[in-house]
Amino acid sequence: MFRTALRNVLAHKARLLMTVLAVMLGVAFVSGTLVFTSTLSDAFRNSSQKSLEHVDVALAPPRSDEGPATPEDAPQVGQKVLDTVARVPGVAATTGLVSGYTGVADKHGKLLGAGLSTRGSNYFPGKDGTDARYPMRDGAAPKGPDQIALDSRTADKAGYRVGDTVRISVDGPVREPKLTGIFTTDDDRAAAGGTLTLFDTASAQKLFRKTGGYSVVQVTAAAGTSQTALQHAIERALPPGSATVETGKQLADQQAGVIEESMSGMKTGLMVFAGISLFVGIFLIANTFTMLVAQRTKELALLRAVGAARRQVTRTVLIEAFVVGAIAGATGLVAGIGVGAGLRALISSTAGKLPDGPLVVTPATVLTALAVGIVVTVLAAWLPGRRAAKIPPVAAMNSVHVPASTKSLVVRNSIGALFAGVGTACVLVATGMDDGRSTMGAGAVLLLIGVFILTPLLSRPLIALAAPVLRAFGTPGTLARQNALRNPRRTAATASALMVGLTLITGLTVIATSVQKGVDKMATESLKADYVISMDSQQPLSPRLEKAVAAADGVVASSPLRKELAETGTDHEVLNGVNGREFDALTQLKFTEGALGELRGNRAVVDGDTAEYRHWKTGSRVPVTFPDGKKTTLTLSGVYEGNDMFRGLVLDNATLAPHQKHIADDQILVKMADGATDANKDTLAKALGNNPAVLVADKKDVSDSISQTITMMLNMLYGLLAMAVIVAVLGVVNTLAMSVFERSQEIGMLRAIGLDRRGVKRMVRLESLVISLFGGVLGVGLGVFFGWAAGELISSGLKSYELVLPWGRLGLFLALAGLVGVLAALWPARRAARLNMLTAIKAD
């Protein structure tokens, strides 16, 4: 039986080629994901360990269950602790680190790097006057508040040389220190396209609000002293609770865990798309083996007649599947290694250079690739093999194909209806839950499976709708419709492969378009302000910027937005500080109770969700304990509808500011006399010192920024889902090719009675088009439903969310399904048209 299975594989090489290709694509995606994430994790881990080579013990601020109210309140390691540690026996050297956000502009004023990847730190010289972490390539280390050093990648990219003036920003105001040195570093953020700016220690402590202290203290052990021994010695020397002491190995292990965790999300996401491709591939595999078995019914019956048992017949089919799966797994692994290398190159070119390191192909990756290829193929081939074994030998020898019984169809449709009903119910129930993601995910899977099971039943009425259009093509159109309905199960399996891909693409498009509409609505409906000013890094702004903005020409109203956490009775609430006199001119909040009025003194307003939860209403008196311990009572003058920008208690900054230890603004709202114009935007930019780290965004900028992000994410998802669509195309090609082979005699008869080659081609193409559009309609319909359901969950967090159906794109997706059908039919239609009619008529 094993030799028989091998001969069958070799005898049907061309027929199995597309099956191998489909499985190979899915396996390539899986193995490529594993290679890419392993390579990335290994590179970051090695880079992290390299940066900790000379760190035997590290001291961090004492841990606290409650985080700091503001970044400025973050604990630090004091100078006394560093001095004490330096005197501990076994300590060779100590290094105090201070770090924080530092934006750097190029010579044209454009920000280098982005967000938190633009970092500043301190140069901490040792006994020899140098800092071994940052060897100077050119110039010397910074000394004094007006000097800095830059990493070599940043300096070379911007064209800076020693002696140049560099524009930088830490908390908003522009600084222009002199570049005294350019250094080399293995810092992973700088290596990944960020920037690293060095100050002298005193300047860094002042800039990053760590006066007299450090973020971390690193300790190097003397020769012969182990990390653990030094850790215990330092812990004994320090007062209890003054610092958290960890060994370099513990830090390395923690960072490795963080890297692994950060990679897990990416790995899971890519694996989901790989799973989708394999899931779609299952339809193709099952179809292929079903047709191969159907074509060999006489051969399998002969095996049964000469003594082969049902299990042996099934085993023969499974052995064929095993061989095909092993070949697909091996080729998919090789292709996956290329995919992993390509992904690393793509990320390096678009998101910044990644740490160097070899391509990592672990034994687990090899085993996973082979196992996935074999298991998926064998599982998909099991049902066709089992069906083949059930065919009675006499019926098979006489080419009497036993049709599906009424009982089997009733059972199938009942199971499909049950799955679809339960899945739909779960999705609908999840839309009313606070956190219904798991329920909705399970329901979506059940509904998708249910529709797949019901697809043969759905194919007849839906394809029948195309009958009037197909009749316009004459005899080829009528034959195409009949051929599509001849084997509903095969048609359903072929259409379902395309349905899965289009369901996901449509659902994602509906969600993305609706979110974009919600963001636009939020920007236009909740704000009267023309501009929103913030830091590129989302760090707090210096209060000096608001004063500069308020004094700029053309500004008629401005308000800094500040946040503070305060006690309100037995709970905590967010306090939103605003300019109470001008807040009404900058926003247009919708009030369900009371009114905004003029926020001054102890008057405040609150969002509806908080008011409902805390049982507050207009006129309620709310006891508040500020961060400095002082107490007051706020009187609510109104209840507004919360949104993403405003939520919680809103009060006047004049009331909040006296109780804040450090005053910093999250954003600044600005209204200009002439509205949002290019000239006004330039005026504000000049008032801010043309600071590259500060963003001046109007409503359109806010919308465009979100739109670009959504479009980029959608394009990435479309690219990943394209793999599933390619596999679906292979399925259509395979189905049509097999169908043409099966109907060779019939096609020969049609040619003999007058159907020309053009008619044969048209018949096959129309059949393919009908099947593909059938899958497209199901996919778009399910995608719209899932998009609506997911939107109901999103709307609980994004109040301005509004369902939008992008009819243009939906039409494009259906057109894409039709194009898939036309392209997939090219080769099978040509093959059918070139059949010799006499040979075909004599075909068995």
Side-chain angles (χ1 to χ4, degrees):
M1 298 303 292
F2 181 74
R3 287 196 299 271
T4 301
L6 289 180
R7 279 198 298 269
N8 283 327
V9 171
L10 295 175
H12 303 105
K13 294 188 289 290
R15 301 178 198 173
L16 293 171
L17 178 61
M18 281 180 284
T19 301
V20 171
L21 186 57
V23 181
M24 185 200 75
L25 287 171
V27 172
F29 213 148
V30 172
S31 54
T33 297
L34 294 175
V35 169
F36 172 64
T37 52
S38 297
T39 299
L40 215 58
S41 297
D42 189 68
F44 277 115
R45 192 181 299 110
N46 290 340
S47 175
S48 174
Q49 289 176 349
K50 192 172 183 180
S51 67
L52 294 172
E53 278 181 356
H54 303 293
V55 180
D56 293 302
V57 174
L59 286 78
R63 294 192 178 100
S64 173
D65 293 336
E66 294 185 5
T70 65
E72 294 80 5
D73 294 329
Q76 60 187 35
V77 180
Q79 182 67 42
K80 288 184 179 180
V81 172
L82 187 146
D83 294 338
T84 301
V85 171
R87 295 191 295 268
V88 173
V91 172
T94 57
T95 303
L97 275 67
V98 185
S99 62
Y101 170 79
T102 303
V104 180
D106 61 17
K107 291 186 176 181
H108 303 290
K110 186 178 179 181
L111 185 68
L112 296 167
L116 296 176
S117 66
T118 53
R119 198 167 58 91
S121 189
N122 64 313
Y123 188 87
F124 194 92
K127 296 177 181 178
D128 61 352
T130 64
D131 189 333
R133 300 170 301 162
Y134 309 116
M136 289 294 160
R137 189 190 74 181
D138 303 313
K143 296 177 181 178
D146 298 326
Q147 297 184 1
I148 62 166
L150 286 177
D151 69 277
S152 57
R153 290 184 179 89
T154 299
D156 293 342
K157 181 180 179 180
Y160 283 125
R161 296 183 179 181
V162 172
D164 289 345
T165 297
V166 181
R167 292 171 61 82
I168 67 169
S169 177
V170 174
D171 60 353
V174 175
R175 304 172 191 273
E176 295 185 336
K178 181 181 178 181
L179 181 63
T180 62
I182 298 173
F183 60 92
T184 58
T185 177
D186 293 321
D187 183 273
D188 53 355
R189 294 194 203 183
T195 64
L196 180 59
T197 307
L198 294 183
F199 306 89
D200 68 281
T201 298
S203 299
Q205 288 175 326
K206 183 178 180 181
L207 287 170
F208 303 130
R209 296 184 174 88
K210 291 287 186 292
T211 305
Y214 304 92
S215 306
V216 177
V217 171
Q218 296 178 344
V219 183
T220 303
T225 304
S226 68
Q227 291 186 356
T228 305
L230 185 59
Q231 179 190 27
H232 294 327
I234 291 173
E235 287 175 338
R236 288 193 298 269
L238 293 177
S242 58
T244 301
V245 185
E246 294 177 309
T247 64
K249 184 179 183 307
Q250 289 173 327
L251 280 179
D253 291 343
Q254 288 175 12
Q255 291 192 11
V258 170
I259 291 169
E260 201 66 37
E261 186 177 348
S262 64
M263 290 291 106
S264 66
M266 181 187 296
K267 182 186 292 186
T268 301
L270 292 173
M271 282 296 187
V272 166
F273 290 99
I276 291 168
S277 297
L278 288 170
F279 180 66
V280 173
I282 286 174
F283 299 129
L284 190 156
I285 299 164
N287 247 5
T288 301
F289 277 92
T290 298
M291 288 182 280
L292 287 175
V293 168
Q295 290 170 16
R296 291 179 6 232
T297 50
K298 284 190 176 182
E299 176 187 325
L300 295 174
L302 183 60
L303 290 173
R304 291 287 310 282
V306 298
R310 286 186 175 182
R311 287 186 178 180
Q312 288 177 303
V313 172
T314 304
R315 197 178 302 155
T316 302
V317 177
L318 294 182
I319 290 172
E320 290 181 45
F322 179 88
V323 173
V324 171
I327 295 171
T331 53
L333 173 63
V334 175
I337 295 172
V339 169
L343 282 173
R344 183 172 68 168
L346 178 64
I347 297 295
S348 292
S349 63
T350 56
K353 188 178 183 300
L354 298 174
D356 295 327
L359 209 61
V360 179
V361 184
T362 64
T365 300
V366 176
L367 293 175
T368 300
L370 293 175
V372 167
I374 293 170
V375 170
V376 167
T377 310
V378 170
L379 284 177
W382 175 76
L383 191 57
R386 188 167 175 268
R387 284 180 187 160
K390 285 185 174 182
I391 298 175
V394 175
M397 299 258 320
N398 287 295
S399 299
V400 179
H401 300 280
V402 181
S405 64
T406 303
K407 180 181 178 182
S408 69
L409 292 174
V410 170
V411 171
R412 176 180 180 131
N413 293 336
S414 300
I415 294 173
L418 178 64
F419 271 79
V422 173
T424 303
C426 288
V427 171
L428 293 176
V429 168
T431 59
M433 299 171 62
D434 292 335
D435 186 11
R437 286 176 296 180
S438 300
T439 304
M440 184 170 291
V445 171
L446 289 174
L447 177 55
L448 203 59
I449 294 173
V451 172
F452 165 64
I453 296 173
L454 289 172
T455 307
L457 179 66
L458 298 173
S459 64
R460 291 189 176 277
L462 288 178
I463 292 178
L465 293 175
V469 177
L470 291 174
R471 275 198 293 268
F473 292 93
T475 302
T478 303
L479 291 172
R481 182 179 65 83
Q482 292 174 351
N483 289 334
L485 294 174
R486 178 180 297 183
N487 192 332
R489 290 188 175 184
R490 182 190 301 171
T491 297
T494 306
S496 296
L498 194 58
M499 176 192 75
V500 173
L502 284 180
T503 295
L504 294 169
I505 290 174
T506 302
L508 291 170
T509 302
V510 169
I511 293 170
T513 308
S514 301
V515 168
Q516 176 62 45
K517 178 67 174 179
V519 172
D520 288 343
K521 189 177 179 182
M522 181 188 72
T524 55
E525 291 191 359
S526 65
L527 287 179
K528 294 179 186 175
D530 297 313
Y531 295 99
V532 179
I533 298 173
S534 61
M535 287 285 286
D536 170 75
S537 61
Q538 304 305 312
Q539 296 284 98
L541 292 158
S542 168
R544 286 181 288 174
L545 294 185
E546 194 275 329
K547 294 178 181 178
V549 167
D553 293 337
V555 174
V556 295
S558 66
S559 173
L561 304 184
R562 300 170 186 168
K563 292 187 185 297
E564 196 70 68
L565 195 64
E567 292 183 18
T568 53
T570 59
D571 210 339
H572 288 78
E573 288 294 342
V574 175
L575 303 181
N576 297 274
V578 299
N579 185 337
R581 290 175 300 176
E582 300 182 345
F583 187 62
D584 189 31
L586 297 164
T587 60
Q588 43 190 9
L589 298 178
K590 294 181 180 178
F591 278 80
T592 56
E593 289 184 32
L596 178 63
E598 185 177 339
L599 288 178
R600 57 183 177 179
N602 289 344
R603 292 184 62 183
V605 293
V606 68
D607 70 283
D609 291 341
T610 303
E612 183 180 358
Y613 176 72
R614 302 298 297 274
H615 304 292
W616 292 339
K617 58 184 180 180
T618 301
S620 294
R621 295 172 60 81
V622 180
V624 174
T625 303
F626 292 106
D628 63 353
K630 300 291 180 62
K631 297 182 180 181
T632 191
T633 300
L634 299 177
T635 301
L636 299 182
S637 61
V639 178
Y640 64 90
E641 292 182 6
N643 54 53
D644 285 4
M645 184 168 284
F646 298 105
R647 198 178 298 275
L649 289 162
V650 181
L651 70 161
D652 190 10
N653 273 327
T655 304
L656 177 63
H659 306 288
Q660 291 182 285
K661 183 178 178 181
H662 298 290
I663 296 177
D665 304 329
D666 290 336
Q667 295 174 318
I668 303 172
L669 303 182
V670 184
K671 187 171 182 61
M672 307 290 286
D674 302 328
T677 65
D678 291 340
N680 284 338
K681 193 170 187 178
D682 290 340
T683 298
L684 290 177
K686 288 177 182 177
L688 295 166
N690 291 319
N691 193 327
V694 176
L695 303 177
V696 180
D698 58 22
K699 295 175 183 178
K700 184 176 184 303
D701 292 332
V702 173
S703 178
D704 288 347
S705 175
I706 299 295
S707 178
Q708 288 174 3
T709 303
I710 291 175
T711 300
M712 184 178 68
M713 291 178 61
L714 263 183
N715 289 339
M716 289 177 61
L717 294 173
Y718 286 165
L720 294 170
L721 287 171
M723 188 78 72
V725 176
I726 290 172
V727 175
V729 171
L730 293 175
V732 179
V733 174
N734 209 18
T735 299
L736 290 173
M738 293 291 186
S739 181
V740 167
F741 180 84
E742 280 186 350
R743 302 203 308 265
S744 295
Q745 191 176 56
E746 176 186 318
I747 292 171
M749 289 294 294
L750 290 171
R751 290 289 314 282
I753 62 176
L755 188 65
D756 59 9
R757 289 186 175 183
R758 182 178 297 178
V760 171
K761 285 184 179 180
R762 183 175 297 171
M763 176 186 70
V764 176
R765 287 171 184 166
L766 289 174
E767 179 185 351
S768 176
L769 183 63
V770 166
I771 293 174
S772 297
L773 286 176
F774 170 53
V777 169
L778 289 179
V780 170
L782 281 174
V784 169
F785 176 69
F786 290 144
W788 165 81
E792 292 297 301
L793 289 182
I794 295 172
S795 62
S796 61
L798 181 62
K799 295 296 184 182
S800 56
Y801 181 89
E802 181 180 328
L803 178 67
V804 176
L805 296 181
W807 295 108
R809 290 197 184 186
L810 298 183
L812 182 63
F813 296 154
L814 284 176
L816 175 65
L819 181 62
V820 165
V822 172
L823 294 178
L826 290 178
W827 177 64
R830 187 179 179 188
R831 181 183 177 188
R834 297 179 69 178
L835 284 174
N836 183 291
M837 67 178 75
L838 295 179
T839 304
I841 290 172
K842 286 192 268 185
D844 188 2

